[in-house]
Amino acid sequence: MFTGIIEGLGTITAIHPSGQGSRMSITADFDLDGTRIGDSIAVNGACLTAVALKGRQFAVDVSPETLQRSILGRTKIAERVNLERALRLSDRLDGHLVSGHVDGVGILRNRKRLANAIIITYSVPRNLSRYMIEKGSVAVDGTSLTINRCDQSSFDVSIIPHTARLTTLVGKKVGDPVNIETDMIGKYVERL
């Protein structure tokens, strides 16, 4: 379980195919003190398991399902990624509950400045937008955000300067894909 509050950035340093999956090596910009092999780390919002660890570098195995459903199948060496280690039960819960199970991919469609914020519009398929509500939560590349506006094919979020500095969101270009995880409560309510 995660909160969507990005802990820091990392850089993809190696990608090795492994059958239909892959193994990725990532170097974090921050100390991974207390992290152990077997711990969960969200990489651009996808919950992955650390299978090797040395200093600030860790390796993860990425399943075929994750490669197909998320943008990790398109990731390249030297690409910057958002990182968050799993929530501890004793931690404060900022952001919102994020499972790290990416629902699908959205596309950055528009970006504009409004006072101190950057308003970003993402297009999403209907099977994702159905779980979005105005002032609800969404995770974009693992970042917990509040939905300002939404319709059947898109939604807007406001990126404040703090979030802009600590995540990869404002470095993306129009047309770039992003991982989307919708709020889990809506999915459970629909299922019930």
Side-chain angles (χ1 to χ4, degrees):
M1 191 64 62
F2 304 91
T3 64
I5 302 300
I6 300 304
E7 192 170 354
L9 299 178
T11 304
I12 303 292
T13 55
I15 302 171
H16 301 288
S18 176
Q20 292 182 341
S22 71
R23 178 168 283 197
M24 292 184 181
S25 295
I26 301 163
T27 300
D29 291 355
F30 56 95
D31 287 328
L32 295 174
D33 295 340
T35 303
R36 299 175 312 206
I37 291 175
D39 284 357
S40 295
I41 301 175
V43 177
N44 273 356
C47 178
L48 302 172
T49 301
V51 296
L53 183 63
K54 184 176 181 183
R56 291 185 176 196
Q57 187 170 51
F58 64 97
V60 292
D61 289 326
V62 187
S63 73
E65 166 73 7
T66 301
L67 291 174
Q68 183 271 326
R69 189 177 289 260
S70 74
I71 64 171
L72 291 181
R74 307 171 199 180
T75 301
K76 299 191 177 6
I77 293 174
E79 189 169 325
R80 302 285 282 159
V81 291
N82 295 325
L83 300 175
E84 179 189 0
R85 291 180 286 180
L87 177 68
R88 293 183 187 105
L89 288 178
S90 61
D91 288 345
R92 289 177 45 169
L93 182 60
D94 293 323
H96 74 281
L97 291 176
V98 176
S99 68
H101 304 157
V102 174
D103 292 309
V105 173
I107 304 294
L108 193 156
R109 289 295 176 213
N110 191 33
R111 176 183 19 235
K112 64 183 176 186
R113 183 164 290 282
L114 180 61
N116 69 337
I118 298 170
I119 309 301
I120 300 180
T121 301
Y122 295 100
S123 64
V124 290
R126 180 152 170 65
N127 68 324
L128 297 183
S129 69
R130 68 187 294 159
Y131 300 113
M132 296 179 182
I133 60 170
E134 192 172 302
K135 302 306 173 207
S137 298
V138 66
V140 177
D141 276 353
T143 307
S144 175
L145 298 167
T146 301
I147 298 169
N148 291 349
R149 180 212 57 84
C150 59
D151 58 32
Q152 292 183 359
S153 62
S154 67
F155 68 96
D156 294 350
V157 293
S158 293
I159 308 298
I160 62 171
H162 179 78
T163 304
R165 279 191 308 275
L166 296 180
T167 70
T168 61
L169 295 178
V170 297
K172 303 263 183 177
K173 298 183 279 305
V174 170
D176 282 351
V178 293
N179 287 329
I180 302 290
E181 181 183 332
T182 59
D183 189 36
M184 69 176 73
I185 294 170
K187 292 181 278 192
Y188 280 117
V189 168
E190 179 185 61
R191 179 75 172 164
L192 289 173

